[in-house]
Amino acid sequence: MNSTSLFSLETPSPAYICPFDQACSYLEAAAKELRLDLGILEILSRPRKAITVSIPLKLDNGDVRVLAGHRVQHSDVLGPYKGGIRYHPAVTLREVSALAMLMTWKCALLGIPFGGAKGGIAIDPKKYSVGELERLTRRFTNELIKDIGPSVDIPAPDMGTSAREMAWIMDTYSKNVGHAVPGVVTGKPLSIGGSLGREMATGRGVMIITREALSDLGKSLKGVRVAIQGFGNVGSAAAHLFQEAGAKVIAVSTGAGGLYAETGLDIPNLKAYMLENGKSLLGYPQAKPISNEELLQLPCDVLVPAALENQITEDNVNAVKAAIVVEAANSPVTIQASLSLESRGVTVLPDILANAGGVVVSYLEWVQGLSYLFWDEERVNREMEKLMVQAYRHVVEKAQQRQISFRLAAYTLGVGRVAEALGDRGLY
Ligand code: NAD
């Protein structure tokens, strides 16, 4: 039997850094800071619901494969569950559970009325045809039909998924309930109620938080040297906006390797090259090839891991030379590596703050959909920027007040708001 058909609770290797254990450690640190009641901590340590379904998929060649799909709903204390759907070979129930928990704190930190969820299927989407991906996504949606909905749980894109998959989810859900329900997903195409600004939102938020942190250090983005690991939705949007703001993007990468240019890459030109080159950046003539490991170790001002978890670990943290690390991906820096960076005076801008731009615009998309009133891009960006800057300021204030790291300050704010709401709602 193929291991991906099991429910992904495989025994990890000794080197495995469990994302759920890491998420719980951050929660425990925040709980200590907040002197949280142990019963509340216990409730918040567990997902409210973890769903694993089997998805039979007929391949184009007629063969059938059964894949495991997960949806973990961590908390709906503040509102409907909200979180992305990831298609990536490394997806496990542990990973999805950790990411669902991060979503809860992220929404609370940003002051948006959502709880946290996440979903995923352990596949490499590049190995499937569009038809296979559509059948897979529609069947996954069908299996989750009673667990999602515009006031229940609202999926969005994440690694390996995009507006296309959201449209399939929306259509399948709508066919099942008998009428169009655009609000069941966010990050969908504009033609069915998507929001202007959503595609660039996470990258835009990364740029805004970096700009604010630089400004507190008396600097601006102009001339700042930025290295970005991952050139997908988040990394490429951030690269584009960093360059537009006057920064020099000296390196970017994908899973297949990266590029380095001392004087800065021309991002629109690189994107055009990738479009012509089957989405690969390899062979781009105006830059030198580098590995992902080399990218993380480049002398630069700002390092933006925008790909996967656990990229900066105890093994490579001492080689990181950046003054600011911006967690555009979820959990790209391990706990130990984060402590090591902070002890060296490196500013670490934590994921639940730095990459929240996407969920903020998802919230704005949901609000526009519910009110049947759609805004221009300038308004979406303005509203998003307001919430991002406000959250950044709250984190800085809390960090200064309590003499704690930005990460602990962000978690303390997020966890504290959920705990307070849980206390107000009460238990039965
Ligand atoms: P994506 O699939 O669009 O892009 C991922 C990028 O990472 C691709 O360029 C891919 O080639 C690269 N990559 C894959 N494996 C790699 C490896 N081993 N080394 C280096 N690069 C590798 O995904 P995305 O939507 O840009 O998401 C990236 C990260 O940002 C994820 O951690 C995701 O959870 C997080 N995030 C995304 C959003 C969003 O709105 N899409 C919001 C918040 C957080």
Side-chain angles (χ1 to χ4, degrees), residues 86 88 99 106 118 126 157-161 198 202 229-235 253-256 292 306-309 311 328-330 355 358-359:
R86 178 178 285 199
H88 188 276
L99 292 168
K106 193 184 297 183
K118 205 79 177 189
K126 291 195 285 299
D158 194 82
M159 278 189 89
T161 59
R198 175 61 183 86
T202 307
Q229 184 202 39
F231 200 62
N233 178 300
V234 179
S253 68
T254 65
N292 267 293
L308 298 170
E309 289 92 347
Q311 295 302 294
N330 286 307
N355 70 25
V359 75

PDB file of all heavy atoms in Angstrom, residues 86 88 99 106 118 126 157-161 198 202 229-235 253-256 292 306-309 311 328-330 355 358-359, ligand 1:
ATOM      1  N   ARG A  86      -3.384  22.959   1.247  1.00  0.00           N
ATOM      2  CA  ARG A  86      -2.035  22.790   0.711  1.00  0.00           C
ATOM      3  C   ARG A  86      -1.911  21.479  -0.057  1.00  0.00           C
ATOM      4  O   ARG A  86      -2.347  20.438   0.442  1.00  0.00           O
ATOM      5  CB  ARG A  86      -1.066  22.792   1.905  1.00  0.00           C
ATOM      6  CG  ARG A  86       0.354  22.579   1.551  1.00  0.00           C
ATOM      7  CD  ARG A  86       1.248  22.644   2.779  1.00  0.00           C
ATOM      8  NE  ARG A  86       1.453  24.008   3.254  1.00  0.00           N
ATOM      9  CZ  ARG A  86       2.442  24.374   4.057  1.00  0.00           C
ATOM     10  NH1 ARG A  86       3.309  23.485   4.482  1.00  0.00           N
ATOM     11  NH2 ARG A  86       2.566  25.621   4.440  1.00  0.00           N
ATOM     12  N   HIS A  88       1.113  19.353  -1.258  1.00  0.00           N
ATOM     13  CA  HIS A  88       2.581  19.240  -1.223  1.00  0.00           C
ATOM     14  C   HIS A  88       2.914  17.850  -0.693  1.00  0.00           C
ATOM     15  O   HIS A  88       2.220  17.352   0.208  1.00  0.00           O
ATOM     16  CB  HIS A  88       3.167  20.331  -0.312  1.00  0.00           C
ATOM     17  CG  HIS A  88       4.667  20.412  -0.383  1.00  0.00           C
ATOM     18  ND1 HIS A  88       5.486  19.604   0.371  1.00  0.00           N
ATOM     19  CD2 HIS A  88       5.486  21.182  -1.142  1.00  0.00           C
ATOM     20  CE1 HIS A  88       6.752  19.877   0.087  1.00  0.00           C
ATOM     21  NE2 HIS A  88       6.774  20.830  -0.827  1.00  0.00           N
ATOM     22  N   LEU A  99      -0.437  23.995  11.466  1.00  0.00           N
ATOM     23  CA  LEU A  99      -0.777  25.181  10.661  1.00  0.00           C
ATOM     24  C   LEU A  99      -2.167  25.711  11.021  1.00  0.00           C
ATOM     25  O   LEU A  99      -2.401  26.920  10.994  1.00  0.00           O
ATOM     26  CB  LEU A  99      -0.692  24.839   9.162  1.00  0.00           C
ATOM     27  CG  LEU A  99       0.739  24.549   8.664  1.00  0.00           C
ATOM     28  CD1 LEU A  99       0.707  23.935   7.257  1.00  0.00           C
ATOM     29  CD2 LEU A  99       1.599  25.798   8.663  1.00  0.00           C
ATOM     30  N   LYS A 106      -3.049  33.825  14.353  1.00  0.00           N
ATOM     31  CA  LYS A 106      -2.861  34.860  13.322  1.00  0.00           C
ATOM     32  C   LYS A 106      -4.119  35.716  13.176  1.00  0.00           C
ATOM     33  O   LYS A 106      -4.059  36.944  13.191  1.00  0.00           O
ATOM     34  CB  LYS A 106      -2.529  34.177  11.981  1.00  0.00           C
ATOM     35  CG  LYS A 106      -2.013  35.107  10.915  1.00  0.00           C
ATOM     36  CD  LYS A 106      -1.795  34.395   9.583  1.00  0.00           C
ATOM     37  CE  LYS A 106      -0.748  33.319   9.652  1.00  0.00           C
ATOM     38  NZ  LYS A 106      -0.493  32.682   8.335  1.00  0.00           N
ATOM     39  N   LYS A 118      -6.812  24.417   8.677  1.00  0.00           N
ATOM     40  CA  LYS A 118      -5.894  24.173   7.558  1.00  0.00           C
ATOM     41  C   LYS A 118      -6.260  22.833   6.951  1.00  0.00           C
ATOM     42  O   LYS A 118      -6.839  21.974   7.617  1.00  0.00           O
ATOM     43  CB  LYS A 118      -4.453  24.112   8.071  1.00  0.00           C
ATOM     44  CG  LYS A 118      -3.440  24.452   7.010  1.00  0.00           C
ATOM     45  CD  LYS A 118      -3.356  25.945   6.823  1.00  0.00           C
ATOM     46  CE  LYS A 118      -2.301  26.339   5.832  1.00  0.00           C
ATOM     47  NZ  LYS A 118      -2.112  27.805   5.843  1.00  0.00           N
ATOM     48  N   LYS A 126       2.579  18.972  -9.344  1.00  0.00           N
ATOM     49  CA  LYS A 126       3.228  19.038 -10.675  1.00  0.00           C
ATOM     50  C   LYS A 126       3.175  17.686 -11.392  1.00  0.00           C
ATOM     51  O   LYS A 126       3.338  17.607 -12.590  1.00  0.00           O
ATOM     52  CB  LYS A 126       4.687  19.495 -10.525  1.00  0.00           C
ATOM     53  CG  LYS A 126       4.810  20.961 -10.090  1.00  0.00           C
ATOM     54  CD  LYS A 126       6.205  21.518 -10.279  1.00  0.00           C
ATOM     55  CE  LYS A 126       7.214  21.042  -9.268  1.00  0.00           C
ATOM     56  NZ  LYS A 126       6.974  21.344  -7.870  1.00  0.00           N
ATOM     57  N   PRO A 157      -6.311  29.434  -0.782  1.00  0.00           N
ATOM     58  CA  PRO A 157      -5.125  28.778  -1.358  1.00  0.00           C
ATOM     59  C   PRO A 157      -3.955  28.731  -0.377  1.00  0.00           C
ATOM     60  O   PRO A 157      -3.861  29.562   0.523  1.00  0.00           O
ATOM     61  CB  PRO A 157      -4.749  29.687  -2.548  1.00  0.00           C
ATOM     62  CG  PRO A 157      -5.869  30.635  -2.741  1.00  0.00           C
ATOM     63  CD  PRO A 157      -6.593  30.733  -1.438  1.00  0.00           C
ATOM     64  N   ASP A 158      -3.092  27.761  -0.554  1.00  0.00           N
ATOM     65  CA  ASP A 158      -1.817  27.683   0.174  1.00  0.00           C
ATOM     66  C   ASP A 158      -0.830  27.059  -0.806  1.00  0.00           C
ATOM     67  O   ASP A 158      -1.074  27.073  -2.030  1.00  0.00           O
ATOM     68  CB  ASP A 158      -1.981  26.843   1.456  1.00  0.00           C
ATOM     69  CG  ASP A 158      -0.798  27.011   2.408  1.00  0.00           C
ATOM     70  OD1 ASP A 158      -0.777  27.998   3.155  1.00  0.00           O
ATOM     71  OD2 ASP A 158       0.125  26.168   2.395  1.00  0.00           O
ATOM     72  N   MET A 159       0.246  26.484  -0.318  1.00  0.00           N
ATOM     73  CA  MET A 159       1.243  25.908  -1.225  1.00  0.00           C
ATOM     74  C   MET A 159       0.595  24.914  -2.172  1.00  0.00           C
ATOM     75  O   MET A 159      -0.137  24.029  -1.745  1.00  0.00           O
ATOM     76  CB  MET A 159       2.315  25.176  -0.430  1.00  0.00           C
ATOM     77  CG  MET A 159       3.362  26.084   0.102  1.00  0.00           C
ATOM     78  SD  MET A 159       4.702  25.125   0.778  1.00  0.00           S
ATOM     79  CE  MET A 159       5.714  24.921  -0.651  1.00  0.00           C
ATOM     80  N   GLY A 160       0.875  25.057  -3.436  1.00  0.00           N
ATOM     81  CA  GLY A 160       0.422  24.096  -4.437  1.00  0.00           C
ATOM     82  C   GLY A 160      -1.026  24.275  -4.867  1.00  0.00           C
ATOM     83  O   GLY A 160      -1.516  23.504  -5.704  1.00  0.00           O
ATOM     84  N   THR A 161      -1.731  25.243  -4.312  1.00  0.00           N
ATOM     85  CA  THR A 161      -3.104  25.521  -4.767  1.00  0.00           C
ATOM     86  C   THR A 161      -3.221  27.015  -5.095  1.00  0.00           C
ATOM     87  O   THR A 161      -2.374  27.804  -4.679  1.00  0.00           O
ATOM     88  CB  THR A 161      -4.166  25.140  -3.714  1.00  0.00           C
ATOM     89  OG1 THR A 161      -3.909  25.881  -2.520  1.00  0.00           O
ATOM     90  CG2 THR A 161      -4.171  23.658  -3.396  1.00  0.00           C
ATOM     91  N   ARG A 198      -5.990  40.257  -3.749  1.00  0.00           N
ATOM     92  CA  ARG A 198      -5.785  39.034  -2.962  1.00  0.00           C
ATOM     93  C   ARG A 198      -4.514  38.289  -3.373  1.00  0.00           C
ATOM     94  O   ARG A 198      -3.775  37.786  -2.532  1.00  0.00           O
ATOM     95  CB  ARG A 198      -7.000  38.092  -3.094  1.00  0.00           C
ATOM     96  CG  ARG A 198      -6.817  36.729  -2.404  1.00  0.00           C
ATOM     97  CD  ARG A 198      -6.595  36.883  -0.906  1.00  0.00           C
ATOM     98  NE  ARG A 198      -6.340  35.620  -0.207  1.00  0.00           N
ATOM     99  CZ  ARG A 198      -5.158  35.045  -0.077  1.00  0.00           C
ATOM    100  NH1 ARG A 198      -4.079  35.586  -0.613  1.00  0.00           N
ATOM    101  NH2 ARG A 198      -5.017  33.914   0.604  1.00  0.00           N
ATOM    102  N   THR A 202      -0.358  38.436   0.461  1.00  0.00           N
ATOM    103  CA  THR A 202       0.589  37.929   1.461  1.00  0.00           C
ATOM    104  C   THR A 202       1.958  38.569   1.234  1.00  0.00           C
ATOM    105  O   THR A 202       2.620  39.025   2.178  1.00  0.00           O
ATOM    106  CB  THR A 202       0.660  36.389   1.414  1.00  0.00           C
ATOM    107  OG1 THR A 202      -0.675  35.889   1.516  1.00  0.00           O
ATOM    108  CG2 THR A 202       1.477  35.835   2.553  1.00  0.00           C
ATOM    109  N   GLN A 229      13.804  33.043  -0.281  1.00  0.00           N
ATOM    110  CA  GLN A 229      13.737  31.605  -0.596  1.00  0.00           C
ATOM    111  C   GLN A 229      12.294  31.251  -0.928  1.00  0.00           C
ATOM    112  O   GLN A 229      11.400  31.448  -0.100  1.00  0.00           O
ATOM    113  CB  GLN A 229      14.195  30.763   0.600  1.00  0.00           C
ATOM    114  CG  GLN A 229      14.232  29.278   0.261  1.00  0.00           C
ATOM    115  CD  GLN A 229      14.154  28.384   1.490  1.00  0.00           C
ATOM    116  OE1 GLN A 229      13.424  28.663   2.426  1.00  0.00           O
ATOM    117  NE2 GLN A 229      14.908  27.302   1.462  1.00  0.00           N
ATOM    118  N   GLY A 230      12.069  30.723  -2.147  1.00  0.00           N
ATOM    119  CA  GLY A 230      10.695  30.407  -2.585  1.00  0.00           C
ATOM    120  C   GLY A 230      10.209  31.523  -3.489  1.00  0.00           C
ATOM    121  O   GLY A 230      10.197  32.697  -3.094  1.00  0.00           O
ATOM    122  N   PHE A 231       9.834  31.158  -4.701  1.00  0.00           N
ATOM    123  CA  PHE A 231       9.392  32.176  -5.656  1.00  0.00           C
ATOM    124  C   PHE A 231       8.013  31.803  -6.178  1.00  0.00           C
ATOM    125  O   PHE A 231       7.725  31.853  -7.357  1.00  0.00           O
ATOM    126  CB  PHE A 231      10.421  32.265  -6.802  1.00  0.00           C
ATOM    127  CG  PHE A 231      10.365  33.566  -7.577  1.00  0.00           C
ATOM    128  CD1 PHE A 231      10.622  34.778  -6.957  1.00  0.00           C
ATOM    129  CD2 PHE A 231      10.067  33.567  -8.928  1.00  0.00           C
ATOM    130  CE1 PHE A 231      10.572  35.969  -7.666  1.00  0.00           C
ATOM    131  CE2 PHE A 231      10.016  34.759  -9.658  1.00  0.00           C
ATOM    132  CZ  PHE A 231      10.262  35.954  -9.016  1.00  0.00           C
ATOM    133  N   GLY A 232       7.138  31.407  -5.238  1.00  0.00           N
ATOM    134  CA  GLY A 232       5.756  31.079  -5.616  1.00  0.00           C
ATOM    135  C   GLY A 232       4.873  32.288  -5.405  1.00  0.00           C
ATOM    136  O   GLY A 232       5.319  33.443  -5.553  1.00  0.00           O
ATOM    137  N   ASN A 233       3.630  32.043  -5.017  1.00  0.00           N
ATOM    138  CA  ASN A 233       2.676  33.123  -4.808  1.00  0.00           C
ATOM    139  C   ASN A 233       3.242  34.198  -3.869  1.00  0.00           C
ATOM    140  O   ASN A 233       3.304  35.384  -4.203  1.00  0.00           O
ATOM    141  CB  ASN A 233       1.384  32.511  -4.231  1.00  0.00           C
ATOM    142  CG  ASN A 233       0.338  33.559  -3.917  1.00  0.00           C
ATOM    143  OD1 ASN A 233       0.572  34.455  -3.114  1.00  0.00           O
ATOM    144  ND2 ASN A 233      -0.808  33.480  -4.559  1.00  0.00           N
ATOM    145  N   VAL A 234       3.710  33.774  -2.704  1.00  0.00           N
ATOM    146  CA  VAL A 234       4.159  34.732  -1.689  1.00  0.00           C
ATOM    147  C   VAL A 234       5.517  35.344  -2.064  1.00  0.00           C
ATOM    148  O   VAL A 234       5.684  36.567  -2.089  1.00  0.00           O
ATOM    149  CB  VAL A 234       4.257  34.045  -0.300  1.00  0.00           C
ATOM    150  CG1 VAL A 234       4.735  35.024   0.753  1.00  0.00           C
ATOM    151  CG2 VAL A 234       2.911  33.453   0.091  1.00  0.00           C
ATOM    152  N   GLY A 235       6.490  34.479  -2.364  1.00  0.00           N
ATOM    153  CA  GLY A 235       7.850  34.962  -2.630  1.00  0.00           C
ATOM    154  C   GLY A 235       7.930  35.876  -3.839  1.00  0.00           C
ATOM    155  O   GLY A 235       8.607  36.907  -3.812  1.00  0.00           O
ATOM    156  N   SER A 253      14.694  31.829  -5.133  1.00  0.00           N
ATOM    157  CA  SER A 253      14.866  30.404  -5.445  1.00  0.00           C
ATOM    158  C   SER A 253      13.529  29.693  -5.549  1.00  0.00           C
ATOM    159  O   SER A 253      12.497  30.205  -5.101  1.00  0.00           O
ATOM    160  CB  SER A 253      15.692  29.715  -4.347  1.00  0.00           C
ATOM    161  OG  SER A 253      14.949  29.686  -3.148  1.00  0.00           O
ATOM    162  N   THR A 254      13.584  28.519  -6.164  1.00  0.00           N
ATOM    163  CA  THR A 254      12.453  27.589  -6.114  1.00  0.00           C
ATOM    164  C   THR A 254      13.007  26.274  -5.571  1.00  0.00           C
ATOM    165  O   THR A 254      14.205  26.206  -5.248  1.00  0.00           O
ATOM    166  CB  THR A 254      11.847  27.339  -7.514  1.00  0.00           C
ATOM    167  OG1 THR A 254      12.839  26.672  -8.293  1.00  0.00           O
ATOM    168  CG2 THR A 254      11.408  28.615  -8.188  1.00  0.00           C
ATOM    169  N   GLY A 255      12.173  25.244  -5.504  1.00  0.00           N
ATOM    170  CA  GLY A 255      12.650  23.945  -5.028  1.00  0.00           C
ATOM    171  C   GLY A 255      13.801  23.418  -5.876  1.00  0.00           C
ATOM    172  O   GLY A 255      14.626  22.632  -5.410  1.00  0.00           O
ATOM    173  N   ALA A 256      13.890  23.859  -7.130  1.00  0.00           N
ATOM    174  CA  ALA A 256      14.927  23.342  -8.044  1.00  0.00           C
ATOM    175  C   ALA A 256      16.236  24.121  -7.939  1.00  0.00           C
ATOM    176  O   ALA A 256      17.199  23.796  -8.637  1.00  0.00           O
ATOM    177  CB  ALA A 256      14.401  23.399  -9.480  1.00  0.00           C
ATOM    178  N   ASN A 292      19.652  26.476  -2.597  1.00  0.00           N
ATOM    179  CA  ASN A 292      18.812  27.033  -1.529  1.00  0.00           C
ATOM    180  C   ASN A 292      19.621  27.236  -0.250  1.00  0.00           C
ATOM    181  O   ASN A 292      19.427  28.209   0.468  1.00  0.00           O
ATOM    182  CB  ASN A 292      17.624  26.111  -1.274  1.00  0.00           C
ATOM    183  CG  ASN A 292      16.422  26.544  -2.094  1.00  0.00           C
ATOM    184  OD1 ASN A 292      15.871  27.608  -1.861  1.00  0.00           O
ATOM    185  ND2 ASN A 292      16.036  25.748  -3.078  1.00  0.00           N
ATOM    186  N   ALA A 306      10.329  32.009   2.175  1.00  0.00           N
ATOM    187  CA  ALA A 306       8.928  32.047   1.700  1.00  0.00           C
ATOM    188  C   ALA A 306       8.559  30.724   1.034  1.00  0.00           C
ATOM    189  O   ALA A 306       7.806  30.705   0.057  1.00  0.00           O
ATOM    190  CB  ALA A 306       8.741  33.215   0.729  1.00  0.00           C
ATOM    191  N   ALA A 307       9.105  29.610   1.562  1.00  0.00           N
ATOM    192  CA  ALA A 307       8.798  28.313   0.938  1.00  0.00           C
ATOM    193  C   ALA A 307       8.176  27.351   1.959  1.00  0.00           C
ATOM    194  O   ALA A 307       6.952  27.216   2.021  1.00  0.00           O
ATOM    195  CB  ALA A 307      10.054  27.729   0.318  1.00  0.00           C
ATOM    196  N   LEU A 308       9.032  26.711   2.746  1.00  0.00           N
ATOM    197  CA  LEU A 308       8.578  25.599   3.593  1.00  0.00           C
ATOM    198  C   LEU A 308       8.922  25.822   5.053  1.00  0.00           C
ATOM    199  O   LEU A 308       9.678  26.731   5.384  1.00  0.00           O
ATOM    200  CB  LEU A 308       9.320  24.325   3.169  1.00  0.00           C
ATOM    201  CG  LEU A 308       9.131  23.800   1.778  1.00  0.00           C
ATOM    202  CD1 LEU A 308      10.145  22.695   1.519  1.00  0.00           C
ATOM    203  CD2 LEU A 308       7.725  23.247   1.637  1.00  0.00           C
ATOM    204  N   GLU A 309       8.434  24.901   5.896  1.00  0.00           N
ATOM    205  CA  GLU A 309       8.822  24.882   7.304  1.00  0.00           C
ATOM    206  C   GLU A 309      10.287  24.481   7.448  1.00  0.00           C
ATOM    207  O   GLU A 309      10.860  23.859   6.549  1.00  0.00           O
ATOM    208  CB  GLU A 309       8.015  23.817   8.092  1.00  0.00           C
ATOM    209  CG  GLU A 309       6.584  24.155   8.301  1.00  0.00           C
ATOM    210  CD  GLU A 309       5.708  23.598   7.191  1.00  0.00           C
ATOM    211  OE1 GLU A 309       6.226  23.167   6.144  1.00  0.00           O
ATOM    212  OE2 GLU A 309       4.505  23.618   7.380  1.00  0.00           O
ATOM    213  N   GLN A 311      13.395  25.593   7.571  1.00  0.00           N
ATOM    214  CA  GLN A 311      14.486  25.858   6.628  1.00  0.00           C
ATOM    215  C   GLN A 311      15.714  26.414   7.335  1.00  0.00           C
ATOM    216  O   GLN A 311      16.835  26.195   6.910  1.00  0.00           O
ATOM    217  CB  GLN A 311      14.014  26.841   5.538  1.00  0.00           C
ATOM    218  CG  GLN A 311      12.921  26.284   4.664  1.00  0.00           C
ATOM    219  CD  GLN A 311      13.370  25.003   3.979  1.00  0.00           C
ATOM    220  OE1 GLN A 311      14.275  25.023   3.149  1.00  0.00           O
ATOM    221  NE2 GLN A 311      12.766  23.879   4.337  1.00  0.00           N
ATOM    222  N   ALA A 328       8.008  34.698   5.909  1.00  0.00           N
ATOM    223  CA  ALA A 328       6.900  34.747   4.954  1.00  0.00           C
ATOM    224  C   ALA A 328       6.213  33.383   4.884  1.00  0.00           C
ATOM    225  O   ALA A 328       4.995  33.289   4.735  1.00  0.00           O
ATOM    226  CB  ALA A 328       7.412  35.158   3.583  1.00  0.00           C
ATOM    227  N   ALA A 329       6.995  32.320   4.987  1.00  0.00           N
ATOM    228  CA  ALA A 329       6.410  30.967   5.062  1.00  0.00           C
ATOM    229  C   ALA A 329       5.924  30.751   6.486  1.00  0.00           C
ATOM    230  O   ALA A 329       6.207  31.550   7.378  1.00  0.00           O
ATOM    231  CB  ALA A 329       7.453  29.923   4.703  1.00  0.00           C
ATOM    232  N   ASN A 330       5.192  29.674   6.717  1.00  0.00           N
ATOM    233  CA  ASN A 330       4.809  29.313   8.073  1.00  0.00           C
ATOM    234  C   ASN A 330       5.914  28.462   8.695  1.00  0.00           C
ATOM    235  O   ASN A 330       6.358  27.490   8.076  1.00  0.00           O
ATOM    236  CB  ASN A 330       3.476  28.547   8.061  1.00  0.00           C
ATOM    237  CG  ASN A 330       2.311  29.480   7.782  1.00  0.00           C
ATOM    238  OD1 ASN A 330       2.150  30.495   8.450  1.00  0.00           O
ATOM    239  ND2 ASN A 330       1.513  29.165   6.769  1.00  0.00           N
ATOM    240  N   ASN A 355       3.209  37.052   7.613  1.00  0.00           N
ATOM    241  CA  ASN A 355       2.506  36.538   6.426  1.00  0.00           C
ATOM    242  C   ASN A 355       0.976  36.636   6.549  1.00  0.00           C
ATOM    243  O   ASN A 355       0.241  35.961   5.832  1.00  0.00           O
ATOM    244  CB  ASN A 355       2.976  35.113   6.065  1.00  0.00           C
ATOM    245  CG  ASN A 355       2.530  34.057   7.059  1.00  0.00           C
ATOM    246  OD1 ASN A 355       1.523  34.215   7.756  1.00  0.00           O
ATOM    247  ND2 ASN A 355       3.256  32.956   7.125  1.00  0.00           N
ATOM    248  N   GLY A 358      -2.345  37.768   3.604  1.00  0.00           N
ATOM    249  CA  GLY A 358      -3.255  36.927   2.822  1.00  0.00           C
ATOM    250  C   GLY A 358      -4.580  36.723   3.524  1.00  0.00           C
ATOM    251  O   GLY A 358      -5.656  36.879   2.931  1.00  0.00           O
ATOM    252  N   VAL A 359      -4.523  36.414   4.821  1.00  0.00           N
ATOM    253  CA  VAL A 359      -5.783  36.148   5.518  1.00  0.00           C
ATOM    254  C   VAL A 359      -6.540  37.459   5.747  1.00  0.00           C
ATOM    255  O   VAL A 359      -7.777  37.467   5.768  1.00  0.00           O
ATOM    256  CB  VAL A 359      -5.585  35.315   6.809  1.00  0.00           C
ATOM    257  CG1 VAL A 359      -5.003  36.124   7.952  1.00  0.00           C
ATOM    258  CG2 VAL A 359      -6.913  34.726   7.250  1.00  0.00           C
TER     259      VAL A 359
HETATM  260  P1  NAD B   1       3.586  28.280  -3.716  1.00  0.00           P
HETATM  261  O1  NAD B   1       3.308  26.853  -3.933  1.00  0.00           O
HETATM  262  O2  NAD B   1       2.964  29.296  -4.569  1.00  0.00           O
HETATM  263  O3  NAD B   1       5.172  28.530  -3.760  1.00  0.00           O
HETATM  264  C1  NAD B   1       6.101  27.807  -2.992  1.00  0.00           C
HETATM  265  C2  NAD B   1       7.494  28.112  -3.506  1.00  0.00           C
HETATM  266  O4  NAD B   1       8.443  27.403  -2.700  1.00  0.00           O
HETATM  267  C3  NAD B   1       7.731  27.665  -4.951  1.00  0.00           C
HETATM  268  O5  NAD B   1       8.559  28.608  -5.600  1.00  0.00           O
HETATM  269  C4  NAD B   1       8.486  26.351  -4.770  1.00  0.00           C
HETATM  270  O6  NAD B   1       9.311  26.036  -5.884  1.00  0.00           O
HETATM  271  C5  NAD B   1       9.327  26.689  -3.550  1.00  0.00           C
HETATM  272  N1  NAD B   1       9.841  25.503  -2.878  1.00  0.00           N
HETATM  273  C6  NAD B   1       9.226  24.313  -2.720  1.00  0.00           C
HETATM  274  N2  NAD B   1      10.060  23.464  -2.075  1.00  0.00           N
HETATM  275  C7  NAD B   1      11.191  24.153  -1.815  1.00  0.00           C
HETATM  276  C8  NAD B   1      12.421  23.832  -1.204  1.00  0.00           C
HETATM  277  N3  NAD B   1      12.648  22.613  -0.703  1.00  0.00           N
HETATM  278  N4  NAD B   1      13.369  24.787  -1.118  1.00  0.00           N
HETATM  279  C9  NAD B   1      13.137  26.018  -1.620  1.00  0.00           C
HETATM  280  N5  NAD B   1      12.002  26.380  -2.242  1.00  0.00           N
HETATM  281  C10 NAD B   1      11.049  25.451  -2.329  1.00  0.00           C
HETATM  282  O7  NAD B   1       3.239  28.540  -2.161  1.00  0.00           O
HETATM  283  P2  NAD B   1       2.914  29.918  -1.480  1.00  0.00           P
HETATM  284  O8  NAD B   1       1.453  30.104  -1.495  1.00  0.00           O
HETATM  285  O9  NAD B   1       3.827  30.961  -2.008  1.00  0.00           O
HETATM  286  O10 NAD B   1       3.294  29.577   0.041  1.00  0.00           O
HETATM  287  C11 NAD B   1       4.646  29.634   0.514  1.00  0.00           C
HETATM  288  C12 NAD B   1       4.630  29.648   2.038  1.00  0.00           C
HETATM  289  O11 NAD B   1       3.893  30.786   2.494  1.00  0.00           O
HETATM  290  C13 NAD B   1       3.976  28.440   2.704  1.00  0.00           C
HETATM  291  O12 NAD B   1       4.643  28.190   3.934  1.00  0.00           O
HETATM  292  C14 NAD B   1       2.567  28.920   2.996  1.00  0.00           C
HETATM  293  O13 NAD B   1       1.958  28.226   4.060  1.00  0.00           O
HETATM  294  C15 NAD B   1       2.865  30.352   3.390  1.00  0.00           C
HETATM  295  N6  NAD B   1       1.706  31.240   3.265  1.00  0.00           N
HETATM  296  C16 NAD B   1       1.044  31.391   2.077  1.00  0.00           C
HETATM  297  C17 NAD B   1      -0.035  32.267   1.989  1.00  0.00           C
HETATM  298  C18 NAD B   1      -0.745  32.518   0.690  1.00  0.00           C
HETATM  299  O14 NAD B   1      -1.579  33.450   0.649  1.00  0.00           O
HETATM  300  N7  NAD B   1      -0.461  31.797  -0.376  1.00  0.00           N
HETATM  301  C19 NAD B   1      -0.456  32.965   3.132  1.00  0.00           C
HETATM  302  C20 NAD B   1       0.244  32.812   4.327  1.00  0.00           C
HETATM  303  C21 NAD B   1       1.324  31.942   4.384  1.00  0.00           C
END
